[in-house]
Amino acid sequence: MTAQVVHHERLAWDAARAFICATESDQVFGWLREQVERHFDRRLAEALYESRHRLWARHRLDVVDVERGRWRAKLEDLVIADRSRALPLQQLIAETSARLAQATDIRAHGQPRRADGPHTIDLDRPSDRLW
């Protein structure tokens, strides 16, 4: 039987990059936020939403790097505190990357969506998903 060695720093960095990329897509972000809450906890899912808000508000030029760094530190601490979370995090990175590859609404932080026709606003939809 072989044991898998997890490089926590690399795992946290890869996850941070995937999480920040996911904030560029409404399609992927909603799904990711639900998965983070399901596999980890509600506070971490709320922190993901707060990061997205800071990224889109873009009060700093280096906001993307700052948020990646925050998430790298959070996720590294998470995996070090409980090594059983490494596998779900690896799976979440893979699924997030696959979903991002299929997403049709990716846009750069701070840039509005392209207007490709009339849009309807659903007032019954949670406000954290409206942009």
Side-chain angles (χ1 to χ4, degrees), residues 6-103:
V6 176
H7 188 270
H8 300 107
E9 294 86 1
R10 180 57 192 243
L11 178 62
W13 176 246
D14 289 345
R17 289 176 46 214
F19 283 19
I20 297 306
C21 285
T23 66
E24 297 175 342
S25 167
D26 292 340
Q27 296 166 350
V28 179
F29 181 78
W31 170 84
L32 177 61
R33 187 172 172 202
E34 290 170 5
Q35 295 303 308
V36 167
E37 185 171 344
R38 189 173 119 215
H39 291 291
F40 303 109
D41 67 30
R42 182 175 182 86
R43 289 177 311 197
L44 203 60
E46 289 171 2
L48 189 60
Y49 175 75
E50 291 165 6
S51 286
R52 186 176 200 212
H53 178 73
R54 283 189 296 270
L55 286 160
W56 287 103
R58 199 176 263 275
H59 295 293
R60 299 176 55 144
L61 295 176
D62 61 348
V63 68
V64 173
D65 294 331
V66 169
E67 290 303 316
R68 275 191 202 126
R70 285 180 186 206
W71 279 98
R72 188 215 45 84
K74 281 180 195 198
L75 295 169
E76 185 176 345
D77 290 347
L78 180 84
V79 173
I80 288 172
D82 182 355
R83 296 184 191 277
S84 68
R85 293 183 169 191
L87 182 59
L89 189 56
Q90 287 174 324
Q91 293 169 338
L92 195 55
I93 294 166
E95 181 67 21
T96 301
S97 297
R99 287 176 179 263
L100 283 167
Q102 299 297 317

Side-chain angles (χ1 to χ4, degrees), residues 26-27 104-105 107 112-123 125 130-131:
D26 292 340
Q27 296 166 350
T104 59
D105 69 339
R107 60 197 186 277
R113 270 191 240 182
R114 282 182 271 143
D116 51 333
H119 296 281
T120 303
I121 297 175
D122 182 355
L123 297 176
R125 196 164 131 190
L130 292 176
W131 287 97

